[in-house]
Amino acid sequence: MGYTVEDIGRIVDQQRAYFRKGETLDVKWRIAQLKRLKKGVMAYERAFEEALQQDLGRSAVEGYLCDIVPTITEINETIRGLRRWARPECHFSGLMCFPSMVTKVYKMPYGVTLIISPFNFPILLTLGVLTASLAGGNTAVIKTSGKSKACTAVLKQFIAEYFPPEYVTLIDGGHDVADMCLAQRFDKIFYTGSPAVGKHVLAAAAQHLTPVALELGGETGNWCVVRKDADLKDAARKVAFFKLCNAGQICININQVAVAEEVADVFVRELKAAFVKQIGENALANEAYPKLITEAAYNRCAALAEQYKSRIVMGGVGERTQRRYAPTILYPIGIEEPIVQQELFCPLLPIVPFKDADVDWLMNIIAEREHPLAMYLFTRNRRWARRVMRSQQYGGGCINEVCIHLMVKGVPFNGTGHSGMGAYHGEWGFREFTHPSTVLMGSTRFNLPLREHPYTGKAGEKKLKMLRMFGR
């Protein structure tokens, strides 16, 4: 259906009226809604898998691995932890507050939230964020991507079946509809997508001083660094798996690999072998290989490959009608070339050689660029790797592994700067969708006149003396 500004305004007003009734404040009630959400996800598993195949060419295995089971895991973790997370904190007020010695911190919902989700993981990055919003006691308006049409259609049916519109509503449409949503006064906005659109979301939110969480990909992409002492076969196997996943359309995917030139040729050879072992000699003929989301995305990928065709050492071919483009290795690529200063979001993989002795120079170059959402290091030198991970600015990452830091329970996920702000997953998502309210429990007895006038004369001198004692 088509929406107008008035339509969306009525949806927001309806949700705000519902929120003010206070029903969402009860933690037991929230848990019941999360259980309902989980029940719905499990009932819609097959429909979600089919929609993911239609939009992105994902196999049932990849769809379940990357979208459905992480969503269920996120809901399970939230159900188990919510009572503890939502419990008010009790603090000692301090002698300065005598005789009011008890202070509570309540974890309060923001109210009406807007979730703007992307096309690349349309189930996980919609329902995973919704889990955090509902856990916090909010209502939610969801704006899904206009690119993943099949997934949006199934999600819209799912939400309408399991939740009333005054609690959760899904709105479909393009950028014009997203702008209509952003024109409304929401209490919290969570956006997943590109840094360019993230700036637009922030600007719109600023009109209402609405707090925002952004999960972005990083403008200059995520780096993988392979040093000369790395296990090259292991690194190649993991890099190949990750680049094949969703045809590279992942915000934490490897954008480019910096490889010590002493082992670069060997690594490229191992990487080719890993791609062939996992997807076959002809990736385009493999039905399990995903496709790019739109013709425009395919055209951009093909055009970039054409620019670097003289350095394609594997791949470089596609099937336009199916929107499939083969995993493509570009080698060698200089660190200052344009292709490694942009987020690719496709199956192209530039390989950037560097002298292993100059690895600190390499890390300085990476640090000078926009902060990535993820960083991956392959080396046997754990001491160096830990030092890098403690000193660089990035969202999250792995040492001798790729992507699975995303699956660890109890830890935050998101970026910094151009790769995002805020954090979520588990308790961190609950925190993102609540704000702490501090309430001092005042006493009506034994109140001292320390804070009251007079501030002059002997009384003032005594008060100042006591205050100085407290201030030490």
Side-chain angles (χ1 to χ4, degrees), residues 197-415:
V197 179
K199 294 175 186 177
H200 176 69
V201 171
L202 269 181
Q207 301 306 308
H208 301 291
L209 296 179
T210 301
V212 176
L214 302 175
E215 186 203 321
L216 311 174
E219 287 189 5
T220 51
N222 307 313
W223 283 86
C224 174
V225 179
V226 180
R227 297 199 62 181
K228 70 178 182 180
D229 64 350
D231 184 325
L232 300 182
K233 185 181 289 292
D234 178 71
R237 175 185 178 183
K238 291 169 179 175
V239 170
F241 146 73
F242 200 21
K243 201 63 181 179
L244 290 171
C245 188
N246 211 29
Q249 299 167 108
I250 306 177
C251 57
I252 60 169
N253 211 327
I254 296 166
N255 205 67
Q256 56 270 319
V257 184
V259 184
E261 64 180 29
E262 295 90 336
V263 296
D265 289 343
V266 178
F267 175 77
V268 170
R269 186 166 65 248
E270 293 287 356
L271 185 59
K272 289 179 184 179
F275 274 128
V276 171
K277 183 175 181 180
Q278 293 181 39
I279 204 71
E281 291 281 356
N282 182 4
L284 303 180
N286 191 319
E287 292 182 357
Y289 183 56
K291 60 186 177 183
L292 296 168
I293 187 65
T294 61
E295 186 176 351
Y298 178 92
N299 290 341
R300 179 177 179 273
C301 176
L304 274 170
E306 179 65 22
Q307 290 178 32
Y308 290 85
K309 64 181 179 181
S310 64
R311 284 176 279 177
I312 292 175
V313 296
M314 180 182 182
V317 294
E319 173 50 62
R320 186 177 301 276
T321 57
Q322 297 296 319
R323 302 199 308 272
R324 282 197 175 113
Y325 203 89
T328 299
I329 302 173
L330 309 175
Y331 173 71
I333 301 294
I335 197 168
E336 298 296 339
E337 295 194 49
I339 197 167
V340 295
Q341 300 195 55
Q342 58 183 293
E343 186 180 21
L344 298 176
F345 227 64
C346 69
L348 304 186
L349 186 57
I351 307 296
V352 180
F354 70 96
K355 286 184 172 62
D356 194 73
D358 295 336
V359 68
D360 290 336
W361 165 83
L362 170 74
M363 301 315 299
N364 284 333
I365 294 291
I366 294 172
E368 288 171 0
R369 296 180 180 175
E370 300 298 350
H371 307 327
L373 183 57
M375 181 175 292
Y376 306 103
L377 307 178
F378 285 88
T379 178
R380 287 185 172 88
N381 188 342
R382 294 259 179 173
R383 184 177 181 181
W384 172 84
R386 285 193 291 266
R387 176 171 63 83
V388 168
M389 288 302 201
R390 289 197 302 265
S391 59
Q392 294 282 121
Q393 291 174 293
Y394 58 99
C398 303
I399 299 172
N400 295 323
E401 194 41 279
V402 294
C403 81
I404 57 174
H405 65 291
L406 187 72
M407 303 177 187
V408 180
K409 295 180 182 179
V411 299
F413 172 75
N414 208 359

